[in-house]
Amino acid sequence: MQKWIGKRPTMGQKSLKTKYEKLLLQAQNTLLTSNEKILKVIEAECDKKSGRELDGVFALTTESVLFISKRENMTYKYSQISDIDVRTDGKDKNEWQLTLKIGRSKRTFDDIKKNDDSQEFIEILEHMIANQSQDILTTVTHDFDYFLHAERLEDLRTREVKITSFLLKRDDMGFTKNGERLLREKHKNAELIVEGFYQDKQKKGNFIVVDNNVLLYQYDNKERKAEQINKWSYTFFTNAVIDHFAIKTVINNDEGKLVLNSSGKAFANILSKVNIPFKFKKRKWHQKILGFRSGKWWKKSIASLVYLLTLLIIIAIAFGEEPKESDSIKPATEVSNSEEEKVEKEKRLAEEKRLAEEKEKQEEARKQEEKRLAEEQRKKEEEARLAEEKRIAEEQRKKEEEARFAEEKRIAEEEQQQTNVYFKNCTDARAAGAAPVHRGEPGYAKHLDRDGDGIGCDS
């Protein structure tokens, strides 16, 4: 799994590996090409247009962007991605939402935790979209056995290799580790690399390397550089006096002293192996006691107080008054009662929480039921209203139809009547007692109404 999370993963990367290990191993065999390298992986969620949410792993490789999940895998070449949009997730301010613009479409990923891993992921993605041909070194691809010291950084810059910000931060393991890694690269076969210094008139150096010779280095952690300032052959330590303290070791000779912060016995074994004679400093019995070895009064005083206090505590425990049976039982009972009360309280709180959750669920169900009933009632009222409007409209239509039929019938009857009565002239109309004859009345005709005022035989 080192291929996916690197040699020095964060806690988040370790958690991701544990959660998705099987999925990543399967993807390694099916999705990756033989030359494809993983640059960074983070956990994310993909929101699909269908409404489905896919939990999985968002991965950047040297060739493409991958989203790997149990249900579905997605692959996008960097050349397909025209732009990205990164913003705070609306659901959680501690998470990112990342949108890839692929042609005219978009693909959104969210639930990306805001941390150094996701920040590095975004930095790599932006770089690969802009310049895929340029190499990039990340916390996944870097070998943390080798320190990014000044010379290595200069070499990477010369070769135009981009280094992520998080890698520079992650690669800084502190003064000791950084110095050891740098010197281990310079001296691959060194038998010993340890912090220490050499002192004649003044202190010099801060690292000692044993590699066929004994080398003294001055390491500058800020500049990430180490400079060799002295070199001795093993014979330099002939007849030296080795003085072991609790942690450090001092090797004295006529010219000065070499102080090792640790691994003094290992240094003595190396001298023995190459047949260099030396002596161990002999001390009186009391000078072998921790705190009395250096002979400094303030160390002796502190050590004496610590030993005296320890002795008094041992005496108090050994000769102190034994508690009465009732006293010894009482605390146990109190502890037992306290434990029972604690358990009861936890049960009560758990029950209250369960009841509150059930009540909340019931209230939610009740609201949903009321909403459903209200919606059904609204639909019924709407259907009734529409049916009533339809019925009234139908009745109105029928009435209008009947009135129309009645009016047509009346007009037809009047026309029939007019057709049946006929006056040749006004003399006949007056003789029949019908003059004057109004339009619409039986016998009316235009030849009787010469002035056209609708009244015939009116003069």
Side-chain angles (χ1 to χ4, degrees):
M1 293 304 294
Q2 186 174 308
K3 181 182 180 76
W4 292 91
I5 59 176
K7 263 192 173 183
R8 194 167 181 254
T10 61
M11 291 299 295
Q13 295 277 282
K14 289 178 182 177
S15 175
L16 180 147
K17 172 230 173 189
T18 303
K19 186 174 180 180
Y20 294 103
E21 186 167 6
K22 291 183 179 178
L23 200 62
L24 294 177
L25 287 173
Q26 184 180 357
Q28 186 170 320
N29 296 325
T30 56
L31 296 179
L32 301 182
T33 63
S34 58
N35 298 324
E36 197 168 3
K37 293 181 181 179
I38 304 298
L39 299 177
K40 192 70 180 178
V41 293
I42 56 173
E43 189 173 359
E45 180 185 273
C46 178
D47 292 333
K48 300 208 66 179
K49 291 181 179 180
S50 61
R52 280 195 308 162
E53 294 180 344
L54 302 175
D55 294 326
V57 177
F58 209 2
L60 299 178
T61 76
T62 50
E63 296 181 11
S64 58
V65 179
L66 305 175
F67 181 75
I68 307 163
S69 69
K70 290 182 180 178
R71 295 181 181 176
E72 184 179 348
N73 296 325
M74 305 174 194
T75 303
Y76 303 106
K77 295 292 183 182
Y78 291 111
S79 57
Q80 294 179 267
I81 304 170
S82 57
D83 197 6
I84 64 170
D85 179 54
V86 183
R87 62 183 66 191
T88 299
D89 196 332
K91 296 180 287 185
D92 189 340
K93 64 180 182 180
N94 295 316
E95 294 180 346
W96 293 114
Q97 183 185 77
L98 172 62
T99 302
L100 303 180
K101 295 180 181 178
I102 305 161
R104 295 184 178 180
S105 63
K106 295 181 180 180
R107 179 70 74 190
T108 300
F109 303 87
D110 54 17
D111 288 359
I112 301 170
K113 289 182 174 58
K114 287 184 177 180
N115 53 34
D116 290 326
D117 287 315
S118 60
Q119 194 67 48
E120 183 182 32
F121 184 94
I122 294 166
E123 182 183 354
I124 296 167
L125 179 59
E126 289 175 340
H127 169 79
M128 295 302 288
I129 292 172
N131 192 358
Q132 188 182 353
S133 61
Q134 183 184 2
D135 290 338
I136 185 168
L137 198 61
T138 74
T139 53
V140 176
T141 58
H142 176 55
D143 185 352
F144 284 92
D145 291 341
Y146 297 94
F147 180 46
L148 291 173
H149 52 77
E151 291 180 12
R152 184 179 290 274
L153 289 173
E154 184 59 32
D155 176 61
L156 291 170
R157 290 191 186 100
T158 303
R159 292 190 289 118
E160 297 185 343
V161 178
K162 178 176 174 58
I163 305 166
T164 64
S165 304
F166 185 41
L167 172 56
L168 286 173
K169 176 182 174 182
R170 190 76 175 152
D171 187 61
D172 187 356
M173 300 182 193
F175 180 89
T176 302
K177 282 283 187 183
N178 291 348
E180 286 179 358
R181 287 188 295 158
L182 189 158
L183 294 171
R184 180 63 64 186
E185 185 176 345
K186 287 178 176 289
H187 302 277
K188 292 181 173 59
N189 299 317
E191 295 183 71
L192 184 66
I193 298 176
V194 62
E195 281 189 77
F197 59 90
Y198 179 71
Q199 185 168 357
D200 43 19
K201 294 180 181 179
Q202 61 181 4
K203 278 187 178 182
K204 297 177 183 178
N206 46 34
F207 272 95
I208 295 159
V209 178
V210 181
D211 184 12
N212 296 322
N213 292 286
V214 179
L215 309 170
L216 182 66
Y217 277 92
Q218 183 71 44
Y219 171 64
D220 186 338
N221 195 45
K222 185 176 181 181
E223 296 295 328
R224 298 181 177 232
K225 293 180 179 180
E227 178 187 1
Q228 181 183 317
I229 57 176
N230 217 330
K231 178 180 179 181
W232 304 282
S233 65
Y234 291 131
T235 56
F236 177 81
F237 299 97
T238 300
N239 297 323
V241 178
I242 297 178
D243 190 4
H244 288 306
F245 289 82
I247 298 173
K248 72 178 182 178
T249 297
V250 178
I251 299 99
N252 289 283
N253 65 8
D254 295 336
E255 296 187 33
K257 62 181 181 180
L258 187 68
V259 180
L260 281 67
N261 289 359
S262 63
S263 307
K265 290 182 180 179
F267 185 84
N269 290 336
I270 293 169
L271 292 180
S272 298
K273 190 169 65 174
V274 294
N275 299 317
I276 300 297
F278 60 87
K279 300 174 184 176
F280 286 110
K281 185 173 182 177
K282 293 182 179 180
R283 296 176 179 273
K284 295 179 181 180
W285 67 269
H286 65 273
Q287 290 178 321
K288 295 180 180 180
I289 300 172
L290 190 64
F292 288 79
R293 296 178 178 182
S294 64
K296 295 181 180 178
W297 68 267
W298 62 271
K299 286 188 177 181
K300 290 181 180 179
S301 301
I302 294 172
S304 298
L305 289 173
V306 171
Y307 292 141
L308 180 60
L309 182 60
T310 304
L311 181 61
L312 290 173
I313 292 171
I314 293 170
I315 292 170
I317 293 172
F319 300 102
E321 184 180 354
E322 292 184 5
K324 295 179 181 179
E325 187 178 351
S326 59
D327 292 341
S328 62
I329 293 172
K330 185 177 179 181
T333 306
E334 289 177 355
V335 171
S336 177
N337 290 339
S338 176
E339 288 293 331
E340 289 178 1
E341 288 175 2
K342 187 177 179 182
V343 171
E344 287 295 327
K345 185 178 180 181
E346 288 176 354
K347 287 182 178 179
R348 179 172 56 78
L349 290 173
E351 182 65 18
E352 288 177 358
K353 185 179 178 182
R354 186 184 65 79
L355 292 172
E357 288 176 352
E358 286 185 359
K359 185 176 180 182
E360 187 177 346
K361 288 179 181 178
Q362 290 174 358
E363 183 67 20
E364 184 65 24
R366 183 183 64 77
K367 288 179 180 179
Q368 292 291 337
E369 182 64 17
E370 288 179 354
K371 185 178 178 181
R372 186 184 64 79
L373 292 173
E375 183 64 19
E376 287 183 357
Q377 181 65 25
R378 186 191 66 76
K379 286 181 179 179
K380 287 180 180 179
E381 290 176 354
E382 183 69 15
E383 289 174 356
R385 183 182 65 77
L386 292 173
E388 181 65 17
E389 289 179 355
K390 185 177 180 181
R391 184 187 63 78
I392 292 171
E394 184 64 22
E395 288 182 355
Q396 182 68 23
R397 186 187 66 76
K398 287 181 178 179
K399 286 180 180 179
E400 291 176 354
E401 186 72 15
E402 290 174 355
R404 184 174 63 79
F405 286 151
E407 180 65 18
E408 288 178 354
K409 184 178 179 182
R410 183 184 65 77
I411 292 171
E413 289 176 352
E414 287 180 355
E415 290 178 350
Q416 183 66 31
Q417 289 177 356
Q418 291 176 3
T419 304
N420 295 337
V421 178
Y422 176 78
F423 298 111
K424 185 176 181 180
N425 49 43
C426 287
T427 302
D428 291 345
R430 291 189 186 97
V437 184
H438 293 81
R439 184 182 295 151
E441 291 179 350
Y444 175 82
K446 285 185 179 181
H447 68 278
L448 302 177
D449 184 12
R450 295 186 183 278
D451 56 4
D453 62 353
I455 303 172
C457 304
D458 54 343
S459 57

